[in-house]
Amino acid sequence: MQTLREAIRPTTLIRSAKLCDHLGLDITIASETFQHTGSFKFRAAYELASNVPNDEILTASSGNFGQALAYACKLVGKRCTVVMPATSAKVKIDAVRGFGAVVDLVDTAVKGRNERVAELAAQMPDAYHASAYDDEYVIAGNSTLGDELAGRGFDAVIVPVGGGGLISGVITGLRRNGDTSAEIYGAEPLLGNDATRSFRAGHLIANETEPMTIADGARTISLGDLNWPIIRDGAIDMIEVSDERIAEAVRIYFGSANLKCEPTGALTLGAVLEDIERFHDRRICLIVSGGNVDPSLYSSLIAG
Amino acid sequence: MQTLREAIRPTTLIRSAKLCDHLGLDITIASETFQHTGSFKFRAAYELASNVPNDEILTASSGNFGQALAYACKLVGKRCTVVMPATSAKVKIDAVRGFGAVVDLVDTAVKGRNERVAELAAQMPDAYHASAYDDEYVIAGNSTLGDELAGRGFDAVIVPVGGGGLISGVITGLRRNGDTSAEIYGAEPLLGNDATRSFRAGHLIANETEPMTIADGARTISLGDLNWPIIRDGAIDMIEVSDERIAEAVRIYFGSANLKCEPTGALTLGAVLEDIERFHDRRICLIVSGGNVDPSLYSSLIAG
């Protein structure tokens, strides 16, 4: 079996003069769109699937973690069940099934994902119940992206935030490599701004319901218990991004960087668009977390 | 001034398990979509702009070479005029102008691009008249992609063919690095199949008119005189690709590899789709020459 470092693809660093000139900023994109299964989630999923002793793994996921875990389980020869909202992007549902996992669709207006997972967990007592973010293996897997970004001279690294699995991993990776100069920002949908409210209040605050933002990878109720203290102590700020800015960012990546990006992945450029002045004269790194998006939605986004 | 090797971005090698599984093939994508100005043409343009003694450069281009030359001239401080067909993708016309070059639009149904360039050349006697493919500097610039692909154990490298500038460069680069095991295929639009006809006849054959293929980077009349002998002696075969296969390839890259690819760049996957059996059990490298495509055309292509 391959180690995590052997199994993952290094992130793809992209610099576009057109993008930098367009915004008047010094931007490096760290794109996880070419990671296995099309998002950073494979880092976490492989670390988890290859380390837990259980032969069966159960998770809830809006799509990318499910797809990554399904593929990781296939690689290491384990069984996998993924609970997904019925509103998930079709490409993501199909992809999970394509890797041989069982998909359990739940209407989140009727029953919460966590509730459904609890039901299934009771039926599958030998399964490992994996959170897509609130799990030590997940943070450890995602920390490899921090390792890759450390020591590159970035003044600011902006990270998409849903449950906080990626940003807590990136903080962990950057700091253990001695990179203390990169300020780490979270970028989350304005429609589900629990991380921003938590960060300002100094304690965890949850959304009332799953936010229906276009950034379907960030439709989370709250940050995870394991992620929160890492974020509280390691991030410099959280930035709320409107769905309009997210769409604009997807369109700019298409036109100025030839990058196919999903809405959740565009949160970080969206955060920059919310306040361009803030990032003047700084070397900024935008993490693009994934690229999986339905063609019909994508077409409507790039049409503007 | 930067040397060519300092100025270019290395090609982006992408492997997608989803793509490989979907087709049952061992595919590595060498994507030039993240090269400066979004296509491989920057390699040639920078080599040319930084080496010719003239302060002004004139060229005809369906878009990507013009854009690359405009940017290269901006970097080295030279003036640039680009003759483009009025049917070129709007993003390409805008990009050339954005880099400060003069764009001369020509209705190719009324007057050939070469004819218009000859008129302009007479008006600008001190300008260097650059062919987008039939030029030693162009071949030398593009050969750096061959350098990057050499020694990676590919059994077959498939290259998009318009005027032959890229494939002659790739042949040159691979061979001078001692990579003799990679068989080199050209992939050209069926609607403009002069390279295939030339290769089979053993002498240069031209199209009657500019072919109106969707692959707008390959709307060329014939291979260049300097490119032809390199292709004749160094390629193993030419593959004709229908516009339908090109569109299918663009769609597959979107869905299975998160790669935004322009139709001309999709010629090589299209060539594989024309005869999948031919490439079974071989390590193949598909060169994706560029990613610049209008959002409206792209949306219609990925909708299928």
Side-chain angles (χ1 to χ4, degrees):
Chain A
M1 195 165 71
Q2 287 186 309
T3 66
L4 177 61
R5 261 151 238 283
E6 290 164 350
I8 59 176
R9 290 179 48 88
T11 201
T12 303
L13 297 175
I14 301 170
R15 283 184 61 84
S16 161
K18 200 168 166 186
L19 177 65
C20 293
D21 291 351
H22 179 61
L23 298 175
L25 296 174
D26 181 343
I27 294 172
T28 299
I29 301 163
S31 179
E32 289 284 292
T33 60
F34 305 118
Q35 186 54 264
H36 296 299
T37 68
S39 86
F40 76 98
K41 297 277 190 179
F42 179 78
R43 297 173 184 265
Y46 191 87
E47 174 74 359
L48 190 149
S50 59
N51 280 293
V52 300
N54 316 53
D55 291 328
E56 184 161 18
I57 303 175
L58 166 67
T59 195
S61 163
S62 59
N64 277 336
F65 184 68
Q67 186 169 338
L69 190 64
Y71 183 53
C73 284
K74 181 183 169 184
L75 291 179
V76 303
K78 296 189 175 182
R79 294 195 307 282
C80 182
T81 298
V82 182
V83 177
M84 299 176 74
T87 53
S88 301
K90 184 171 181 298
V91 287
K92 293 183 178 177
I93 297 171
D94 290 347
V96 173
R97 289 190 173 133
F99 292 123
V102 173
V103 173
D104 187 278
L105 290 177
V106 58
D107 180 350
T108 53
V110 176
K111 184 183 290 187
R113 271 186 286 181
N114 293 340
E115 190 183 341
R116 177 60 186 153
V117 170
E119 285 178 5
L120 287 173
Q123 296 166 24
M124 300 154 64
D126 295 333
Y128 181 89
H129 172 197
S131 163
Y133 45 92
D134 197 9
D135 185 297
E136 294 289 2
Y137 293 116
V138 166
I139 298 171
N142 291 338
S143 72
T144 56
L145 180 53
D147 293 339
E148 292 179 32
L149 298 180
R152 294 183 180 271
F154 295 125
D155 301 313
V157 175
I158 313 182
V159 192
V161 172
L166 180 56
I167 189 170
S168 55
V170 168
I171 290 169
T172 303
L174 281 170
R175 297 310 183 229
R176 80 169 158 230
N177 284 278
D179 192 328
T180 52
S181 59
E183 293 184 335
I184 299 161
Y185 293 82
E188 75 169 349
L190 177 62
L191 291 176
N193 63 348
D194 57 289
T196 303
R197 288 185 290 142
S198 301
F199 196 78
R200 292 187 185 153
H203 60 88
L204 259 187
I205 298 174
N207 296 311
E208 298 279 307
T209 56
E210 285 193 18
M212 290 312 290
T213 166
I214 193 176
D216 64 338
R219 289 180 188 159
T220 40
I221 295 290
S222 110
L223 297 171
D225 291 332
L226 295 173
N227 314 104
W228 163 243
I230 300 173
I231 297 168
R232 181 194 59 208
D233 298 341
I236 187 131
D237 205 359
M238 297 287 134
I239 301 171
E240 299 159 281
V241 188
S242 70
D243 274 28
E244 291 72 21
R245 291 291 193 204
I246 295 172
E248 183 184 353
V250 170
R251 196 156 54 245
I252 290 174
Y253 276 139
F254 177 91
S256 297
N258 278 340
L259 183 65
K260 178 202 169 193
C261 168
E262 65 180 70
T264 311
L267 274 166
T268 49
L269 179 56
V272 169
L273 297 174
E274 291 284 355
D275 186 0
I276 289 183
E277 290 301 317
R278 182 175 196 167
F279 297 103
H280 262 168
D281 298 323
R282 301 174 72 188
R283 295 192 58 196
I284 63 176
C285 174
L286 303 181
I287 294 180
V288 171
S289 49
N292 300 324
V293 50
D294 269 327
S296 57
L297 172 60
Y298 192 71
S299 293
S300 71
L301 291 173
I302 61 173
Chain B
M1 196 165 71
Q2 287 186 307
T3 66
L4 177 61
R5 260 152 238 282
E6 291 164 351
I8 59 175
R9 289 178 49 88
T11 201
T12 304
L13 297 177
I14 301 170
R15 283 184 61 85
S16 161
K18 200 168 165 186
L19 177 66
C20 293
D21 292 351
H22 179 62
L23 298 175
L25 296 175
D26 182 343
I27 294 173
T28 300
I29 301 163
S31 179
E32 289 284 291
T33 60
F34 305 117
Q35 187 55 263
H36 296 300
T37 68
S39 85
F40 78 98
K41 297 276 190 179
F42 179 77
R43 297 173 184 265
Y46 192 86
E47 175 75 0
L48 190 150
S50 58
N51 280 293
V52 300
N54 316 53
D55 290 328
E56 184 161 17
I57 304 176
L58 166 68
T59 194
S61 164
S62 58
N64 277 336
F65 184 68
Q67 187 169 338
L69 190 64
Y71 183 53
C73 284
K74 181 183 171 185
L75 291 179
V76 303
K78 296 190 176 183
R79 295 195 306 283
C80 182
T81 299
V82 182
V83 177
M84 299 177 73
T87 53
S88 300
K90 182 170 180 300
V91 286
K92 294 182 178 177
I93 297 171
D94 290 346
V96 173
R97 289 189 174 134
F99 291 122
V102 173
V103 173
D104 187 279
L105 290 176
V106 58
D107 180 349
T108 53
V110 176
K111 184 184 288 186
R113 271 186 285 180
N114 293 341
E115 190 183 342
R116 177 60 186 154
V117 170
E119 285 178 6
L120 288 172
Q123 296 165 24
M124 300 153 65
D126 294 332
Y128 182 88
H129 172 197
S131 163
Y133 45 92
D134 197 9
D135 184 297
E136 293 289 1
Y137 293 116
V138 166
I139 298 171
N142 292 338
S143 72
T144 55
L145 180 53
D147 293 340
E148 291 179 33
L149 299 179
R152 294 183 179 271
F154 296 125
D155 300 312
V157 175
I158 313 183
V159 192
V161 172
L166 180 55
I167 190 170
S168 56
V170 169
I171 290 169
T172 302
L174 282 170
R175 295 311 182 229
R176 79 170 158 229
N177 284 279
D179 191 327
T180 52
S181 58
E183 293 184 335
I184 300 160
Y185 293 82
E188 74 170 350
L190 178 62
L191 290 176
N193 65 347
D194 56 290
T196 303
R197 288 185 290 142
S198 300
F199 196 78
R200 291 187 185 154
H203 60 88
L204 260 187
I205 297 175
N207 296 311
E208 298 279 306
T209 56
E210 285 193 20
M212 290 312 291
T213 166
I214 194 175
D216 65 337
R219 289 180 188 159
T220 39
I221 295 291
S222 111
L223 297 171
D225 292 331
L226 295 174
N227 315 104
W228 163 243
I230 300 173
I231 298 168
R232 180 194 61 207
D233 299 341
I236 188 133
D237 205 0
M238 296 288 134
I239 301 172
E240 299 159 282
V241 188
S242 70
D243 273 27
E244 291 73 20
R245 291 291 193 204
I246 295 171
E248 183 184 354
V250 169
R251 195 156 55 244
I252 290 174
Y253 276 138
F254 177 91
S256 297
N258 278 340
L259 183 65
K260 179 201 169 193
C261 169
E262 65 180 70
T264 311
L267 273 166
T268 49
L269 178 56
V272 169
L273 297 174
E274 291 283 355
D275 186 0
I276 288 182
E277 290 302 317
R278 183 175 195 167
F279 297 102
H280 262 168
D281 298 323
R282 302 174 71 187
R283 295 191 58 196
I284 62 177
C285 173
L286 304 182
I287 294 179
V288 171
S289 49
N292 300 324
V293 49
D294 270 327
S296 57
L297 172 60
Y298 192 70
S299 292
S300 70
L301 291 173
I302 61 174

